[in-house]
Amino acid sequence: MSNHPDAAAKTLDTNEFIKGLWKENPVFIQVLGMCPTLAVTNSVINAITMGLATSFVLIMSNLLVSSLRHVIPKQVRIATYILIIASFVTVADYVIQAVSLDVYKSLGAFIALIVVNCIILGRAEAFASKNSVGNSLLDALGMGVGFTFALLCLGGVREIMGNGTFLGYHVLSAHYQPWIIMILPGGGFFTLGAWLLLFNYLRKRKEKISMQ
Amino acid sequence: MDFDNLSFIFINASLINNFVLAYFLGICPFLGVSGSLATATRMGFAVIFVMLVSSTCAYGIHSLLLMLHAPYLELISFIVVIASAVQLVEMFIKKFSPALFRALGIFLPLITTNCAILALALFQTAKGYSFIECLVFALGAGVGFTIALVLMAGIREKLDLAEIPDTVKGTALAIMVAGILSLTFMGFAGLGG
Amino acid sequence: MNQIDLKKLTAPPNPWHMLRSMGGVGIVCALLIVVAFQGTLPRINQNKAEALEKAVFQVLPGTKNRATFRVNPDGACEPFQGEARGQRLVYAGFDENNKLVGIAVEAQGQGFQDVIRLIYGYSPEKQAVIGYQVLESKDTPGLGDKVEKDPHFLANFDNLEVPLAPDGGALQHAIEFVKSGGKQHPWQIEGITGATISSRAIANIMQKSTAEMVPLLTKNLETFQAGQK
Amino acid sequence: MNLTQKTLEIRTSPHILSGMSTDTIMRNVVYALLPVAAFAVYAFGLAAALVISVSTISTVLTEHVLCRLTKKESTIGDWSAAITGLLYGLTLPPGLPLWMVFCGGVIAIALGKFMFGGLGYNPFNPALVGRAVMQAAFPVAITTWHPAFTTDRFYNLPDSTLTLPFMAPVFKAVTTATPLAQMKFDHKIADSYDLAMGFVSGSTGETCAVLILLGGAYLAWRKMMNWRIPAAIFLTVIVLSEFFHYLKPEIYPDSLFMLLSGGLMLGAVFMATDMVASPMTSRGVMIYGALIGILVVVIRLWGGLPEGVMYAILIANAASPHIDRLVQPRVYGTGGVKRKT
Amino acid sequence: METTITVKKTFPHGVHPPEAKEETHHLKIRRFPFAPVMILPLSQHTGKPSKAMVREGQEVARGQKIAEADGFVSVALHAPASGIIKRIALAPNPVGRMTPSIYLQPFPASSQEVLEGTPIDPDTASPDEIVKAIQDAGIVGLGGAAFPTHVKLKIPEGKFVDTLIINGVECEPYLTTDHRVMLEQKDDIFMGIRYLMKVTGAQRTIIGIEANKLDAAQELSAAIPAGMPVSVEVFKVKYPQGAEKMLIKALLDREVPSGGLPVDVHTVVVNVATAAEIGRLLPHGRGIMERVITITGPGVAKKGNYWIPIGTPVRYVLEQAGAKDNISLVFLGGPMMGQAVSNLDFPFTKGTSGLVVFTEAETNSKPQKIYPCIHCAYCVDACPMFLNPSQMGILAKKERYEEMAEQYNLFDCFECGACSYVCPSHIPLVQYFRVAKGILREKKAAS
């Protein structure tokens, strides 16, 4: 019974939403979607835009995949998912261009690269193709929020340290010396590394406490 | 095409703006395959190969879509065509050079969904490179990827034997090492300029 | 329910079924893309035009209107409209009296990290560059991006003389790069301390571009003046 | 005498040791660096003294604190943290704000060494990791040089030195260009004698080539340093730069200038020779040294930066596991029998 | 014969530990009294233990064969003194393992008279007869390895030997037995060489000696019998030159293939003391009863070289040699490869070449702190086998033993100790390698 994909599909489970925020956070815990996580987080606005765009694609593709899950034959499912995802990414790409060309320019090709973000295909394959539309939506929302939150964590640290600003507003003293490395690629690696360290540390401590 | 321009494209793609260390492209295989040197090297060559194939495809698609006035199909076509092309090439290699297939084969499907490959197509389109430039760009990107991967693999093999503190073990360490490597590659900035 | 699903799972793949569902999804996707493309196209074009206008107006102070021209391979310029891809374009700027202020030219070259793209305004009247803006640069933030912000450096381009030699074929003086504090002539670009490489790269791009474009633009001056209809 | 009640020690052979000890080696490297540091203070005055002491204190302190935090025995007794601190301090410009010096020292140990498990496991030279992070973080401050041998250097500090933590420094005092920058941007070549004796501007410890070489000679004589590494670096740099100088003497400087200017001496003698991050075999270190030499020349002559020693060494560090693997010594008896007929 | 000795040859790598030979190298070999009880392990050699031929309570004469070889890789054992077999039981060996041993109680005031056996004539005896005689004489490698000498003298079918090397290198610090033997038993040595050349078919013999024994080299070359194709070569002093493979490399620049034997490069190496013993015993048909042992080290008063009967317990020797009160480390053999003893009741065997006693002063000054490997490459430059001890040490710590064997030739290590000696981080590399080899052998045996 429990093996069956649609077994628990009838009810909505808010855990599907919560898990993406922390326990199964796509960036900090699952370490997925590293490319956008590192590449576009040199400022908060980029991080948020990227987070939202990814969430949008994630939600829409999860919805569509989940609602079509009985229709799509197993053999062609991956191809179909990619098709769906690529379409939504194209949509997101145009919408961002229409909203702000500056943001679009600073994100560059990374909007289009959402297509190959493993989180999206991963959720479609691992969750949406086996669960109800409602739960898939919750899952996508959770993952999206978790992803955006992670990007914000990185973007926030990097923009504040690297530029002394948050969302473009000066939050530190006017004489603050920016750590330019933080908005360089190296800083991206180091910030993510530091966050992962923190999560590792917290997890280790929790394990230790629960063992006692 | 003058040689200076081509060499700049190559140096730029391989060292200055290394796909992995400056653009964070292909981090997944970078972290996943850099555990042992032997696989890293083979993976590197497979990437160079796929990059050349997909760069050619992307150039063709882009020209075709320009003629058809359908730029909005670019992303979808890149994905689909590159994936199929790599698959075809894979079958071709399997048939005609089993040795090469054994060496590179298992990596090919892995690479197809790698963001570095798609990014290569997108970048070369955005930069408006000519066909030759595209190939040099692809070669540079592939070589750069390989260099980063191989250096990383060497360091990680060495670190396998180190007494790493518990908290640092795992991805965090690899990311930090990548950060230091990324810093060292800053030394190449301005080369060929 | 269970039984039906099981049957579906164990059934041999039906090519027609596969094709049908792929086709269906394809159609949905195509619809999506086309709708999004069509829906956003006017806005995107407007954004692009605005961005371009902003740049042109900035490098040609006093401009109120602009016209786009294509540079043909033979060196002649002609009014141009439509898809910008793959074309070599320059933009003429006109003041409120419809008088030609100058011509904005895009140029690019190798910087510290990657290619730097910039746009500058050439005034035929003053025979000088009267404005400049960096369009795209990946040079180190806080160091290389001084070429976009440093007021002292930007002042170089308020009136950077590029007079033609009497025979009209070439510049009288090529633009020169001098280090900070060394500027003596109006055709020299003074570098930034600590960002020598990026500022030198800008000077190189300017030197190359003006040497080619200024004679060409001068030749086509009448076309530009007549450009605004 | 009663042999019955004797407790005997059980040890495994060998029962005698050479007497060489890791902390002795490290301590001697510090000794070899001291004259260099002393000259730095002599040339740049109080500012250099402060930079070097703050850098050393920061690394030693960080090592101690991190060991305590992870409940390990403090490892500052092996002197390696002190070397890192000294070396790192010697690569900094004398006017660098002290808070930056301190941050870099913390990073050098935490990121460059401790994270990998401490002494013996760092794949990169920790001092250079700290320096590279600082270079990327504060590119302006770290390339702002103060002139050497100013008259007031022993009682006046540059304005930038005492900048408040995390605040941007203001460089009011006269700054100057290093010989390398002058070569690169103005094609001006400094006098070799001045370079050798350290009468030029630059990082605190990189200016006096003679003292650095003396320190290196001492270490090489005590066999605490692999002389092949600097030798290979120097040789490569000499050959390459002479070649290009021969081709275009007006653009490319001669080898003497290349050797004596910038951080090449300090880097080749004290940084590239970091035992932990360099290859082990004699042939390996030759390749390693040659790689550094090539990278230094390439970055100096064609790169965007005037100086590339730091990057060259770091990249060679990254490559050294491969070099080690490629040139494992041929084990006795595995290469076939040399037959004499 | 006056020869000017040129010292050039040596092998690459290796180390230079302090020689510490000056206290005993000038002291003539002296005889040693019989201990009240002697313990004669049946397994004093590499290979199968000997088979006891006596029963408890039996009276034996000095020189009488009390155990015979059990198979080819085994040798006979002779009574070192006239006395009574007290019992045959397990007794500890230096590692602490118990091995079957014969306890012999010498008669009070037992004489040094020895039984005479069947003499073997080097000119008339066939090679096989000589091999058998050497086995019957209980001769093993006296340099320390205790490998039955006759085994390596038996040249396998299809192989040949062109050079016989007599190993007078004695590279272990402190030990001077070979030095004294070369000075005092020249005739025995040349006699032994006659037997050995006959057996191996070698056309020439080279005696290899290190430059710290120039007097021995000079006297030996002066004493070479006319017409004998023997020469003396002097090497630079370096450890472990006495190892067969290093000696062959230094002397002939030949390399014994990995896993092979000296005979693969057409040589046989015999220790000089072994050669002397062959030359001393075979003409009388006797067996080994005693051997020359250096007793030295800061912990003993009467340092010197002694003829010590096989089976004498360490305790008895220490008492006679005047051990000091504060001794804390006693090892059999030299300080580089010697084995520390836990138990003073352990007897001297045929393979023991020295007894070095350290006091607390020496052991306490030895640094205890082990640092991580700093890749200084001292060990790489020391290893005579051109291995990479540093990398193997790191692998051993991570218990990656297979990798050590497959990629880093662990089994070519012969535990000379040069790497541990030079290691500034005091990593017990040799010990790591011993453990690794042991575990790998066990694994192999299990599978």
Side-chain angles (χ1 to χ4, degrees), chain D residues 1 3-4 6 8-18 20-23 25 73 78 119-121 223-224 275-276 280 328-334 337-340, chain E residues 245 255-258 265 323 325 327-329 335-336 338 340-342 363 366 368 371-378 380 385-386 388 390 417 420-421 424-426 431 434:
Chain D
M1 149 169 165
L3 282 179
T4 334
K6 206 68 223 175
L8 289 177
E9 291 204 27
I10 294 300
R11 292 226 182 122
T12 55
S13 62
H15 304 289
I16 50 174
L17 295 180
S18 63
M20 190 69 103
S21 179
T22 296
D23 51 299
I25 296 177
E73 192 193 344
D78 62 26
L119 176 67
Y121 300 116
K223 292 209 167 80
M224 291 168 172
M275 289 165 167
V276 181
M280 307 233 298
Q328 276 296 322
R330 186 188 63 80
V331 172
Y332 176 104
T334 56
V337 186
K338 269 192 217 166
R339 218 173 272 246
K340 275 189 185 166
Chain E
K245 289 180 174 179
E255 279 188 16
V256 180
S258 174
V265 289
D325 277 343
I327 63 167
S328 76
L329 178 68
M336 294 300 283
V341 294
S342 54
T363 44
K366 193 174 157 182
Q368 297 290 326
Y371 291 104
C373 172
I374 55 165
H375 302 261
C376 62
Y378 287 1
V380 175
M385 294 302 287
F386 286 76
N388 187 341
S390 155
S420 298
Y421 171 76
S425 290
H426 316 308
Q431 182 58 17
R434 278 188 205 119

Side-chain angles (χ1 to χ4, degrees), chain A residues 171-202:
Chain A
V171 289
L172 296 172
S173 151
H175 299 291
Y176 172 73
Q177 166 72 50
W179 291 61
I180 287 158
I181 186 175
M182 296 308 281
I183 38 184
L184 297 177
F189 282 116
F190 293 138
T191 317
L192 178 62
W195 278 108
L196 289 175
L197 277 189
L198 182 71
F199 273 75
N200 265 0
Y201 173 73
L202 291 178

Side-chain angles (χ1 to χ4, degrees), chain C residues 112 142-143 146 179 196-197 200, chain D residues 139-140 184-186 304-306:
Chain C
F112 187 56
L143 193 66
K146 278 190 183 168
K179 65 177 196 162
T196 323
I197 299 158
R200 179 190 286 264
Chain D
V140 178
K184 180 134 206 153
F185 302 122
D186 306 321
L305 300 162

Side-chain angles (χ1 to χ4, degrees), chain A residues 201 208, chain D residues 64-74 114:
Chain A
Y201 173 73
K208 217 181 258 172
Chain D
H64 186 72
V65 169
L66 282 174
C67 284
R68 278 294 141 89
L69 282 182
T70 48
K71 302 190 176 64
K72 282 203 293 191
E73 192 193 344
S74 176
F114 195 81

Side-chain angles (χ1 to χ4, degrees), chain E residues 32-35 38 40 62 80-81 112 289-291 293 307-313 348:
Chain E
F32 209 81
F34 293 127
M38 289 178 173
L40 298 154
R62 175 160 151 89
Q112 303 267 359
M289 292 151 290
E290 58 209 346
R291 62 155 303 158
I293 290 173
W307 279 109
I308 292 184
I310 308 294
T312 311
F348 282 92

Side-chain angles (χ1 to χ4, degrees), chain E residues 292-314:
Chain E
V292 184
I293 290 173
T294 306
I295 312 266
T296 185
V300 285
K302 292 182 227 159
K303 302 183 181 73
N305 294 293
Y306 297 92
W307 279 109
I308 292 184
I310 308 294
T312 311
V314 172

Side-chain angles (χ1 to χ4, degrees), chain A residues 8-200:
Chain A
K10 288 289 118 182
T11 51
L12 285 185
D13 188 351
T14 43
N15 280 334
E16 305 295 1
F17 176 71
I18 307 287
K19 69 173 191 240
L21 302 185
W22 189 262
K23 218 172 72 196
E24 288 180 27
N25 187 295
V27 173
F28 293 137
I29 307 297
Q30 301 186 52
V31 202
L32 289 175
M34 285 297 107
C35 170
T37 306
L38 291 161
V40 301
T41 50
N42 49 7
S43 76
V44 177
I45 181 74
N46 284 357
I48 292 179
T49 316
M50 188 52 152
L52 291 181
T54 309
S55 307
F56 164 76
V57 178
L58 190 55
I59 292 165
M60 297 311 283
S61 59
N62 247 19
L63 279 180
L64 201 58
V65 166
S66 161
S67 45
L68 293 177
R69 68 186 189 278
H70 298 302
V71 187
I72 302 171
K74 225 175 68 185
Q75 292 76 15
V76 292
R77 70 184 193 290
I78 299 291
T80 323
Y81 299 161
I82 289 180
L83 206 60
I84 292 171
I85 294 167
S87 311
F88 283 115
V89 172
T90 312
V91 171
D93 190 89
Y94 283 117
V95 169
I96 292 173
Q97 276 191 64
V99 172
S100 163
L101 211 55
D102 283 343
V103 173
Y104 180 76
K105 265 189 183 164
S106 62
L107 289 177
F110 289 99
I111 292 286
L113 286 174
I114 295 176
V115 177
V116 280
N117 190 330
C118 5
I119 299 173
I120 298 176
L121 190 60
R123 291 331 287 175
E125 164 73 3
F127 197 92
S129 63
K130 296 171 189 157
N131 286 286
S132 72
V133 178
N135 276 346
S136 299
L137 177 69
L138 283 178
D139 176 73
L141 270 175
M143 288 294 159
V145 173
F147 184 67
T148 313
F149 166 72
L151 290 196
L152 205 58
C153 285
L154 267 97
V157 170
R158 290 180 70 185
E159 191 180 330
I160 292 175
M161 271 190 84
N163 209 14
T165 59
F166 189 84
L167 271 175
Y169 297 103
H170 280 273
V171 289
L172 296 172
S173 151
H175 299 291
Y176 172 73
Q177 166 72 50
W179 291 61
I180 287 158
I181 186 175
M182 296 308 281
I183 38 184
L184 297 177
F189 282 116
F190 293 138
T191 317
L192 178 62
W195 278 108
L196 289 175
L197 277 189
L198 182 71
F199 273 75
N200 265 0

